[in-house]
């Protein structure tokens, strides 16, 4: 970071994560912060890249794990590459690089255009899952496989690829020519995250964005692609949120395939793909009186601390005391951290000798655990709305609500009005609640109105509706 000492610096884009990085930079380096660069924000400290004079800035630092290449490509046309930096975050530490790996989109474009020119008919559906497979992509993919609908899973997660192959399921490596060719030749491309939406897409292909949750967080607009279909859980969430964030020809309220799994009676063996089987078996064996799943969302503001503080716990929980309480109640407490948080913090939250507390692998599918949990503890995550379907207690452990809301520049909706569950602010309250009130937690605030807003009722399952879309292209 010392390279920026005395330099004129801009940061792009303006997000909660980059605001935290700005605070860190100014706290540790004597530099001149000129403001943010963003193509959609309208704040006083934001400019468009077109307005940045290369002679008046020494560095433009890009912090966008999902969309760096797209931003970098655009900025290279206006700012010398020698002034562009990519930020990496790992183990709660920032690092920078100017060694930019080129995109692999040229092969996809070449394959796709050749396929169109040949006049061949496109068939089949490709599910694209960068980083890890889970959630909506996984469960819709499995529905297709079970119902003889041609589908292939494409991912760069080698461990999960091996698991798919061990079951004889169609899949390919996202980073190989074989994966690129499958993407280029498919009739339909299905996503459930914003990653990898920058490569070439033929006009003859159909795109479906399933996304990965509804909720309270504000998001920057994703306007670099127009999907054919964007899928959400209700008309209300589309109208109040997603239509202002995404571009799509049609917004559908079909619901989420992962929620079909929550509501189905039995668990098929394939449903347990990418699930930690040891933890799943412990939950299902009913050894414990209750299973509590704690799923906090990511917190970008933690990076305002210096690297010297990276060993401090992120969560204000006395795990030893909590474990003693859990032992006396014979409850199992499962901690599932956001993958990005675990990547940043490494193993700093792992604890030893905690008989009733386990940490769930961050890149494993947690929905088989969620389905059989008695209580959900979260904060600002969209998972609380999925859990509404199960009519079980929700605890909102929002110990940092003011700080989080400030970092996110306010919530999309009023937090107290649009969250189901009882709010607590510290670990002592959590322990007291587990001891005395778990049977009635949050039921007074679990209003049917929130279900109607966030979760539309459909006679058909989400996967059934979407499979008809994949086959025929017609909405139902």
């Amino acid at each position: 970071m010392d390279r920026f000492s005395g330099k004129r610096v801009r940061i792009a884009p303006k997000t909660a994560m980059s605001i935290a990085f700005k605070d860190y930079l100014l706290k540790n380096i004597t530099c001149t912060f000129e403001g943010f660069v963003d193509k959609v924000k309208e704040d006083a400290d934001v400019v468009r890249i077109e307005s940045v004079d290369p002679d008046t800035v020494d560095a433009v630092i890009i912090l966008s794990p999902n969309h760096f290449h797209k931003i970098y490509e655009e900025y290279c046309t206006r700012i010398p590459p020698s002034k562009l930096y990519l930020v990496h975050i790992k183990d709660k530490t920032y690092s920078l690089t100017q060694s930019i790996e080129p995109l692999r989109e040229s092969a996809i474009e070449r394959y796709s255009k050749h396929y169109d020119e040949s006049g061949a008919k496109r068939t089949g559906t490709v599910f694209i899952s960068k980083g890890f497979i889970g959630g909506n992509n996984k469960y819709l993919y499995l529905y297709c496989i079970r119902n003889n609908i041609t589908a292939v899973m494409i991912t760069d997660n080698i461990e999960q690829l091996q698991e798919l192959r061990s079951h004889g399921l169609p899949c390919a490596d996202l980073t190989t020519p074989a994966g690129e060719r499958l993407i280029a030749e498919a009739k339909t491309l299905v996503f459930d995250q914003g990653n990898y939406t920058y490569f070439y897409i033929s006009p003859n292909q159909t795109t479906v964005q399933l996304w990965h949750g509804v909720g309270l967080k504000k998001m920057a607009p994703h306007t670099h692609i127009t999907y054919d279909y964007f899928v959400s859980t209700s008309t209300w969430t589309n109208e109040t949120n997603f239509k202002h964030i995404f571009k799509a020809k049609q917004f559908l309220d079909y619901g989420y395939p992962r929620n079909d799994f929550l509501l189905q009676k039995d668990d098929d063996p394939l449903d347990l793909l990418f699930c930690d089987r040891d933890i799943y078996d412990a939950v299902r064996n009913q050894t414990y009186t209750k299973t509590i799943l704690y799923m906090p969302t990511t917190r970008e503001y933690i990076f305002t601390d210096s690297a010297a503080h990276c060993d401090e716990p992120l969560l204000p929980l006395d795990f030893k005391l909590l474990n003693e309480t859990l032992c006396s109640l014979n409850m199992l407490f499962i901690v599932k951290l956001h993958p990005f948080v675990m990547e940043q913090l490494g193993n700093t939250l792992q604890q030893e000798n905690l008989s009733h507390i386990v940490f769930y692998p961050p890149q494993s599918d947690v929905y088989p655990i969620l389905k059989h949990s008695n209580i959900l503890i979260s904060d600002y995550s969209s998972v609380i709305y999925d859990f509404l379907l199960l009519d079980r207690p929700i605890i909102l452990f929002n110990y940092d609500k003011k700080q989080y809301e400030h970092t996110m520049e306010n919530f999309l909706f009023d937090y107290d009005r649009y969250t189901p569950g009882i709010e607590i602010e510290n670990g002592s309250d959590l322990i007291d609640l587990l001891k005395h009130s778990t049977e009635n937690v949050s039921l007074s605030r679990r209003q049917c109105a929130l279900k109607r807003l966030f979760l539309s009722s459909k006679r058909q399952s989400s996967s059934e509706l979407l499979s008809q879309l994949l086959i025929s292209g017609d909405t139902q």
Side-chain angles (χ1 to χ4, degrees), residues 61-117:
I61 304 172
I62 304 171
L63 177 50
S64 180
N66 291 345
H67 306 291
F68 166 76
H69 279 100
K70 188 70 176 179
I71 297 171
Y72 181 81
E73 276 189 338
E74 180 182 354
Y75 287 12
C76 274
T77 63
R78 299 181 179 276
I79 304 294
S82 61
K83 294 186 177 184
L84 296 176
Y85 294 83
L86 164 65
V87 181
H88 294 288
I89 308 173
K90 189 169 184 179
D91 295 333
K92 206 178 179 183
T93 302
Y94 295 109
S95 62
L96 291 98
T97 184
Q98 289 184 302
S99 301
I100 313 304
E101 295 182 2
L103 293 177
R104 296 178 61 88
E105 64 177 345
S106 58
I108 294 176
E109 183 172 1
R110 183 171 64 254
Y111 291 149
S112 185
K113 290 183 175 179
H114 175 75
Y115 201 76
D116 286 334
E117 291 169 359

Side-chain angles (χ1 to χ4, degrees), residues 54-284:
D55 294 330
T56 64
V57 67
D58 298 307
V60 176
I61 304 172
I62 304 171
L63 177 50
S64 180
N66 291 345
H67 306 291
F68 166 76
H69 279 100
K70 188 70 176 179
I71 297 171
Y72 181 81
E73 276 189 338
E74 180 182 354
Y75 287 12
C76 274
T77 63
R78 299 181 179 276
I79 304 294
S82 61
K83 294 186 177 184
L84 296 176
Y85 294 83
L86 164 65
V87 181
H88 294 288
I89 308 173
K90 189 169 184 179
D91 295 333
K92 206 178 179 183
T93 302
Y94 295 109
S95 62
L96 291 98
T97 184
Q98 289 184 302
S99 301
I100 313 304
E101 295 182 2
L103 293 177
R104 296 178 61 88
E105 64 177 345
S106 58
I108 294 176
E109 183 172 1
R110 183 171 64 254
Y111 291 149
S112 185
K113 290 183 175 179
H114 175 75
Y115 201 76
D116 286 334
E117 291 169 359
S118 71
K121 183 179 179 181
R122 294 177 177 274
T123 59
T125 296
V126 160
F127 290 81
I128 301 173
S129 297
K130 184 177 183 292
F132 64 96
I133 307 166
N136 292 320
N137 259 13
K138 169 188 165 179
Y139 291 101
L140 182 57
Y141 166 76
L142 291 178
Y143 183 91
C144 290
I145 297 301
R146 292 173 179 132
N147 289 274
N148 298 314
I149 300 169
T150 303
V152 180
M153 180 63 73
I154 310 288
T155 185
D156 56 352
N157 189 308
I158 302 303
E159 184 177 346
Q160 290 185 331
L161 277 173
Q162 292 172 344
E163 190 169 350
L164 289 171
R165 288 166 178 158
S166 71
H167 289 272
L169 298 174
C171 59
D173 189 334
L174 180 62
T175 64
T176 63
E180 292 171 332
R181 188 177 291 276
L182 284 167
I183 292 171
E185 297 178 356
K187 172 188 174 185
T188 305
L189 304 177
V190 181
F191 310 90
D192 66 354
Q193 49 185 297
N195 306 23
Y196 267 70
T197 54
Y198 49 70
F199 52 67
Y200 177 82
I201 296 173
S202 167
N204 297 317
Q205 291 179 303
T206 299
T207 53
V208 180
Q209 175 59 266
L210 301 178
W211 203 235
H212 50 266
V214 301
L216 300 159
K217 301 177 186 178
K218 286 185 176 179
M219 294 187 295
H222 293 236
T223 57
H224 54 288
I225 180 173
T226 299
Y227 298 100
D228 291 291
Y229 304 103
F230 185 94
V231 181
S232 171
T233 56
S234 73
T235 300
W236 184 81
T237 59
N238 281 329
E239 294 294 335
T240 59
N241 185 4
F242 292 126
K243 284 189 176 181
H244 305 289
I245 303 300
F246 294 93
K247 295 173 65 178
K249 296 175 183 177
Q250 291 192 54
F251 287 83
L252 307 174
D253 61 350
Y254 283 4
Y256 284 158
R258 70 188 187 198
N259 288 347
D260 294 343
F261 167 72
L262 290 182
L263 295 174
Q264 74 184 31
K265 182 178 180 181
D266 299 315
D267 298 345
D268 184 277
L270 287 182
D271 292 327
L272 304 183
L273 284 169
F274 324 131
C275 171
D276 187 304
R277 291 301 301 269
D278 290 337
I279 296 178
Y280 175 83
D281 289 341
V283 173
R284 296 292 282 143

Side-chain angles (χ1 to χ4, degrees), residues 368-437:
I369 307 300
L370 181 69
K371 178 177 179 178
H372 299 290
S373 294
N374 303 104
I375 300 171
L376 172 68
I377 304 176
S378 191
D379 38 41
Y380 324 108
S381 172
S382 65
V383 71
I384 62 177
Y385 300 103
D386 291 351
F387 202 70
L388 276 173
L389 292 166
L390 300 177
D391 291 318
R392 298 173 195 160
I394 297 173
I395 299 172
L396 302 172
F397 188 19
N398 51 24
Y399 57 89
D400 59 349
K401 183 168 71 171
K402 289 184 179 179
Q403 187 172 12
Y404 185 87
E405 187 172 12
H406 172 73
T407 307
M408 295 299 296
E409 299 183 300
N410 299 315
F411 293 112
L412 182 64
F413 307 114
D414 179 80
Y415 184 85
D416 294 322
R417 181 179 177 184
Y418 288 98
T419 52
I422 186 169
E423 298 182 39
I424 58 172
E425 296 182 353
N426 56 65
S428 297
D429 289 345
L430 173 60
I431 289 174
D432 289 342
L433 201 59
L434 296 180
K435 285 181 177 178
H436 305 297
S437 308

